[in-house]
């Protein structure tokens, strides 16, 4: 096996620290997890952590962005695997039942948002990160609309904001009461599509 270059070794160390921090933050919370523990669990020195991340907040932001990329990558893959609109929604529904309201993820998002309240730089970074997520959701919504041949009743960016807002709120409620159905967000997506102009809207209007 070829020996890793210095930059490759540094990249691997950074990725392993982020992955370890993600697991610890999700299991025990952000506030309860120290950088020292992240280093210990990952098998590195505390110096290795500080050489990659100036602060715990910087590491936390990387973890949040990794989780977002992972979760929305899952959604992209499952939507791409669906042959029809209803099959895509069914796959999304299954994902939502497993994911929306996950206690570790939901509480981490809330906890980190609270931490950013008195840190303008971190808050700006979170706003930027959320903007990336919103853009990804908007792209998925537009792709879905194009696939089924409908014209959205609102701009894709507004639709993405609405879906994210419902997802965040529903996630908070399901973290407390898992009996609340995740299908509410799937119903919202279906309503958005059937309110648009196109074959599904016509069929929906014609259905008794």
């Amino acid at each position: 096996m070829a020996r890793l270059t210095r930059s490759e070794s540094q990249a691997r160390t950074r990725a392993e620290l982020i992955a370890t921090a993600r697991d610890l933050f999700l299991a025990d919370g952000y506030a309860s997890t120290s950088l020292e523990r992240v280093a210990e669990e990952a098998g590195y020195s505390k110096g290795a952590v500080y050489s990659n991340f100036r602060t715990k907040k910087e590491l936390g932001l990387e973890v949040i962005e990794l989780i977002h990329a992972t979760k929305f990558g899952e959604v992209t893959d499952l939507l791409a695997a669906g042959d029809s609109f209803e099959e895509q929604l069914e796959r999304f529904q299954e994902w939502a039942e497993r994911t929306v309201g996950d206690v570790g993820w939901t509480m981490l998002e809330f906890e980190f948002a609270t931490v950013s309240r008195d840190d303008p730089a971190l808050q700006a970074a979170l706003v930027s990160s959320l903007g990336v997520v919103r853009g990804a959701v908007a792209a998925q919504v537009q792709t879905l609309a194009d696939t089924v041949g409908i014209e959205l009743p609102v701009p894709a960016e507004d639709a993405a904001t609405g879906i994210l807002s419902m997802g965040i709120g529903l996630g908070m409620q399901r973290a407390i009461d898992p009996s609340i159905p995740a299908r509410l967000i799937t119903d919202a997506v279906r309503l958005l599509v059937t309110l648009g102009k196109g074959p599904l809207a016509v069929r929906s209007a014609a259905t008794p």
Side-chain angles (χ1 to χ4, degrees):
M1 181 181 296
R3 185 174 181 178
L4 295 177
T5 65
R6 180 177 177 82
S7 60
E8 289 173 337
S9 179
Q10 290 175 332
R12 184 174 70 175
T13 298
R14 185 180 180 86
E16 289 176 349
L17 288 170
I18 294 172
T20 299
R22 174 200 59 199
D23 294 344
L24 292 174
F25 290 168
L26 290 175
D28 302 326
Y30 174 81
S32 299
T33 303
S34 66
L35 290 180
E36 289 80 2
R37 187 175 173 210
V38 172
E40 180 182 352
E41 291 291 334
Y44 292 100
S45 66
K46 188 170 74 171
V49 178
Y50 283 105
S51 67
N52 281 277
F53 308 99
R54 291 171 297 176
T55 65
K56 181 179 170 182
K57 290 178 182 178
E58 184 178 321
L59 175 57
L61 183 62
E62 292 277 0
V63 168
I64 292 292
E65 291 178 346
L66 173 62
I67 292 173
H68 288 171
T70 300
K71 296 300 183 184
F72 290 103
E74 293 171 356
V75 173
T76 298
D77 290 344
L78 66 87
L79 290 179
D83 293 329
S84 67
F85 175 66
E86 285 302 325
E87 185 176 342
Q88 289 172 320
L89 282 188
E90 183 179 345
R91 288 175 179 271
F92 178 72
Q93 170 65 28
E94 293 171 354
W95 178 88
E97 289 291 352
R98 295 192 310 269
T99 308
V100 176
D102 174 83
V103 175
W105 180 23
T106 303
M107 292 300 102
L108 176 59
E109 293 275 5
F110 180 76
E111 186 178 9
F112 202 64
T114 302
V115 168
S116 74
R117 185 175 61 178
D118 299 319
D119 187 333
L122 180 59
Q123 190 172 54
L126 280 177
V127 168
S128 177
S129 180
L130 182 59
V132 172
V133 172
R134 188 182 298 112
V137 174
Q140 289 179 338
V141 170
Q142 189 61 62
T143 297
L144 181 62
D146 292 342
T147 299
V148 297
I150 67 103
E151 180 183 337
L152 294 171
V154 296
E157 292 76 12
D158 291 348
T161 299
I163 291 170
L164 277 174
S165 298
M166 173 171 281
I168 292 169
L170 184 60
M172 289 294 296
Q173 292 187 70
R174 278 174 55 82
I176 299 169
D177 181 4
S179 68
I180 297 175
R183 65 169 174 74
L184 296 176
I185 193 168
T186 309
D187 290 346
V189 173
R190 179 181 284 104
L191 180 62
L192 175 70
V193 171
T194 56
L195 282 176
K197 299 176 181 178
L200 289 178
V202 172
R203 184 162 59 250
S204 176
T207 301

